[in-house]
Amino acid sequence: SSSAACAPTLSSLMAEVFVPLPLSHGATGLAGLEAPGRTVQDSHFAGRTEHGGSSAGLSWSLSLSAVAVLAVRRQRSRKQTRRARGGEAVSTLPMEDQWIAKLDLDGFGKEVHELGERLRKEQGESDQKHLKKMAWWNKFCAFVGLATLWWKPNPLTVIMLALYTTSRWTMIGHHASHGGYNHTDESGRYSSRGFALGSLWRRTRDWLDWMLPEAWGIEHNQLHHYRLGEETDPDLVERNVEQWKGWQKYARTFASMMVWKWAYYAPNTFKELKVAELKKKGEPLPEGFDEKAPMTLNQVIRLAGTGKNVFKTREFLGKVIGPYLLMHFVLLPLPLALINPAFYWNAVGNLFLADLVANFHSFVIVATNHCGNDLYRFQQGCKPKSPTFYLRAVISSTNFPTGGNLNDFAHGWLNYQIEHHAWPNLSMLSYQKGQPEMKKICEKYGVPYVQENVFKRLKKTYDVMTHKAYMRKYPVEFESPKDVMVWRGES
């Protein structure tokens, strides 16, 4: 009959579909599938029955065989399905994310928290002595740079001035503003409650730079540290450059390396300060103002006089970048003009070149800390000091080579970024002590601990900024429900 004629063809097609699946050992019965280790091809899917049964018998056998094979597939699919921490079923993770499903998050968080608490309790006189030592290194750079400032522009003066500027920010100002020495500095000079804050005199004495210290405290200490890798993290490089298109993404990337502190960081930190002030007062933001969008100097100029910015241009110039521009490039070298005008212009040239070098140096050790195709982004907020908070500190940060004061000084002490984000208010010395133990905890729990030299990280950051690579997205179904939180003002 016609059905009998088409049976072998149907059997062959089904055999092709199901051949890759071996049967489990001990399967017997249905349509002759009985031998351990035999595949569907060994059975009646090869053609008519051994006893020459009719086409109806063959069709019945095929139906039963299909049901059996589908059952095997479904069982195996169940075994391959992983469960999220909330209990819901999720699809199999990509290879690079497999560690997530195996992680004992609570155990990991507990050990990281306990290590941080122990390091904090051990802080004392040795941490304060170490701070003073690093402060003297910082001042030595300034001394050499200023003593040779009148020379024609030269590498020694430029490098020493640049090292002074960068280390004053990333080492002294950075850790003091986080409160790393609040409990060890009896003088209060390096307290987070007063260092460089409150007046132009304190800013000039403690840490004079392009950024306003109060603004940086909001942008960095609060938003960046406690929303790391989230959409509301102001330092999320990948999001900040997503609108860069065509040749602009290459030009802007290279330009950013040389001018980013005054062209981006100064206006953006000030924007975050003003947004925070408006929210605290309960006042609305200007219509159409996107608080997540990065604020650049170009944006400041474009919005001047429109009423669509959160601050006035003259306030930005007079309060943020104006004092540094005037005191650093005009008043500082001015006494040399009384001796010889040529000395003055030599000094201005050295200061200008040093600023470019300081911009590049700080870009390399700052912008690369949380950028690369091996680091993670997140879709939800998390509670501070929760296991998830500690996990994000590790998997959304990278360390550079660590150990030794000279090496760490050259990296601006930003080579301990993982430890710093886990415990923001510790001293520089504590990060040196805690780094090896943190790395061991990560190895124990299978958490990826990224540590590479700055040039490899610069290449990975460049790839993200030019859209050649993208950061990993942490699967939201694996977030711990008890650690999730929604920040005020967000839905």
Side-chain angles (χ1 to χ4, degrees):
S1 65
S2 59
S3 62
C6 72
T9 303
L10 179 61
S11 301
S12 300
L13 289 173
M14 294 187 72
E16 287 184 18
V17 173
F18 294 115
V19 156
L21 279 177
L23 293 175
S24 59
H25 292 288
T28 60
L30 292 177
L33 306 180
E34 69 272 9
R38 291 177 63 185
T39 66
V40 176
Q41 192 174 21
D42 295 325
S43 71
H44 291 145
F45 285 98
R48 296 176 61 85
T49 64
E50 184 180 357
H51 302 292
S54 66
S55 61
L58 175 60
S59 300
W60 179 247
S61 298
L62 291 173
S63 300
L64 291 176
S65 300
V67 170
V69 174
L70 287 173
V72 171
R73 275 194 163 183
R74 179 169 294 181
Q75 181 64 26
R76 293 192 171 186
S77 177
R78 285 198 187 103
K79 291 181 179 179
Q80 291 174 352
T81 300
R82 298 190 181 275
R83 293 273 169 181
R85 294 191 181 89
E88 68 276 14
V90 295
S91 58
T92 303
L93 292 167
M95 183 63 66
E96 64 269 18
D97 296 338
Q98 288 290 319
W99 64 270
I100 298 174
K102 305 171 185 177
L103 174 64
D104 175 7
L105 180 61
D106 289 336
F108 170 79
K110 182 175 181 293
E111 290 201 34
V112 173
H113 180 77
E114 289 176 349
L115 174 57
E117 287 298 297
R118 176 165 61 81
L119 291 169
R120 181 181 62 81
K121 292 176 181 178
E122 290 176 353
Q123 289 191 171
E125 186 179 353
S126 60
D127 297 87
Q128 197 61 28
K129 287 182 177 180
H130 182 264
L131 169 63
K132 291 180 178 179
K133 181 178 181 179
M134 293 301 100
W136 274 111
W137 286 22
N138 171 256
K139 292 174 182 177
F140 176 76
C141 292
F143 174 79
V144 175
L146 292 175
T148 58
L149 191 60
W150 58 280
W151 293 1
K152 290 183 178 180
N154 65 92
L156 175 65
T157 305
V158 168
I159 290 174
M160 296 305 281
L161 288 173
L163 277 175
Y164 165 76
T165 300
T166 300
S167 60
R168 194 68 189 176
W169 169 29
T170 64
M171 291 173 54
I172 312 302
H174 184 197
H175 295 95
S177 71
H178 271 293
Y181 300 95
N182 283 3
H183 302 291
T184 60
D185 179 27
E186 296 180 356
S187 69
R189 169 73 186 278
Y190 296 98
S191 168
S192 62
R193 293 177 287 272
F195 188 84
L197 303 176
S199 68
L200 181 57
W201 157 244
R202 284 187 173 181
R203 181 183 175 187
T204 305
R205 180 194 66 175
D206 295 335
W207 169 36
L208 181 64
D209 210 326
W210 290 108
M211 301 82 69
L212 183 68
E214 290 88 346
W216 191 69
I218 295 293
E219 191 270 358
H220 177 81
N221 296 1
Q222 296 184 25
L223 296 176
H224 171 58
H225 264 268
Y226 292 95
R227 305 188 186 190
L228 178 64
E230 301 172 23
E231 279 299 307
T232 49
D233 176 3
D235 293 341
L236 184 58
V237 174
E238 186 174 54
R239 190 218 41 241
N240 287 346
V241 302
E242 63 187 6
Q243 299 301 321
W244 294 4
K245 307 297 181 183
W247 64 269
Q248 288 187 349
K249 62 178 179 278
Y250 300 102
R252 289 183 176 183
T253 296
F254 284 109
S256 296
M257 296 180 187
M258 308 307 294
V259 301
W260 77 293
K261 287 172 68 178
W262 56 265
Y264 159 71
Y265 220 33
N268 200 59
T269 52
F270 194 55
K271 177 206 75 174
E272 297 296 354
L273 173 64
K274 304 308 287 187
V275 168
E277 289 177 352
L278 288 174
K279 288 184 175 181
K280 187 176 181 179
K281 295 176 182 177
E283 298 179 8
L285 299 177
E287 184 178 354
F289 185 84
D290 183 3
E291 63 178 291
K292 293 182 182 179
M295 178 64 66
T296 63
L297 187 61
N298 181 53
Q299 285 288 90
V300 174
I301 296 171
R302 189 173 66 84
L303 295 176
T306 65
K308 296 182 178 180
N309 202 350
V310 290
F311 58 81
K312 297 184 183 300
T313 305
R314 64 174 178 269
E315 181 185 14
F316 172 70
L317 294 175
K319 193 173 183 178
V320 183
I321 66 173
Y324 183 75
L325 188 64
L326 177 64
M327 299 179 73
H328 191 71
F329 293 99
V330 179
L331 298 182
L332 177 62
L334 192 58
L336 293 173
L338 301 177
I339 304 172
N340 187 332
F343 293 168
Y344 173 80
W345 291 112
N346 286 343
V348 171
N350 279 315
L351 289 168
F352 174 76
L353 292 175
D355 190 71
L356 292 178
V357 173
N359 268 273
F360 179 74
H361 184 199
S362 59
F363 181 92
V364 170
I365 60 177
V366 174
T368 60
N369 285 152
H370 309 286
C371 191
N373 62 356
D374 49 358
L375 301 180
Y376 287 83
R377 291 179 59 173
F378 312 98
Q379 301 176 52
Q380 297 176 324
C382 73
K383 298 175 183 176
K385 295 188 177 181
S386 64
T388 296
F389 175 84
Y390 292 124
L391 177 65
R392 292 183 179 187
V394 178
I395 64 175
S396 193
S397 306
T398 182
N399 276 11
F400 308 132
T402 54
N405 286 335
L406 187 60
N407 171 71
D408 295 345
F409 186 91
H411 287 92
W413 233 270
L414 297 181
N415 46 337
Y416 296 95
Q417 203 64 190
I418 290 173
E419 292 72 27
H420 175 59
H421 271 265
W423 320 298
N425 59 344
L426 293 185
S427 69
M428 290 183 281
L429 185 60
S430 290
Y431 295 133
Q432 276 188 338
K433 294 178 179 177
Q435 187 271 332
E437 294 186 64
M438 171 66 102
K439 190 171 185 178
K440 288 180 181 179
I441 292 174
C442 292
E443 291 173 350
K444 174 181 176 180
Y445 286 90
V447 174
Y449 185 100
V450 180
Q451 186 172 23
E452 293 182 316
N453 70 60
V454 293
F455 300 108
K456 287 184 178 180
R457 298 315 305 182
L458 180 61
K459 174 60 168 62
K460 291 184 177 182
T461 301
Y462 171 83
D463 287 344
V464 170
M465 294 181 73
T466 55
H467 307 170
K468 294 181 178 180
Y470 301 91
M471 295 181 68
R472 297 178 184 177
K473 300 292 182 63
Y474 192 88
V476 68
E477 61 269 25
F478 276 87
E479 294 282 13
S480 174
K482 63 184 176 61
D483 293 346
V484 172
M485 70 171 289
V486 178
W487 294 99
R488 183 181 303 171
E490 296 180 16
S491 57

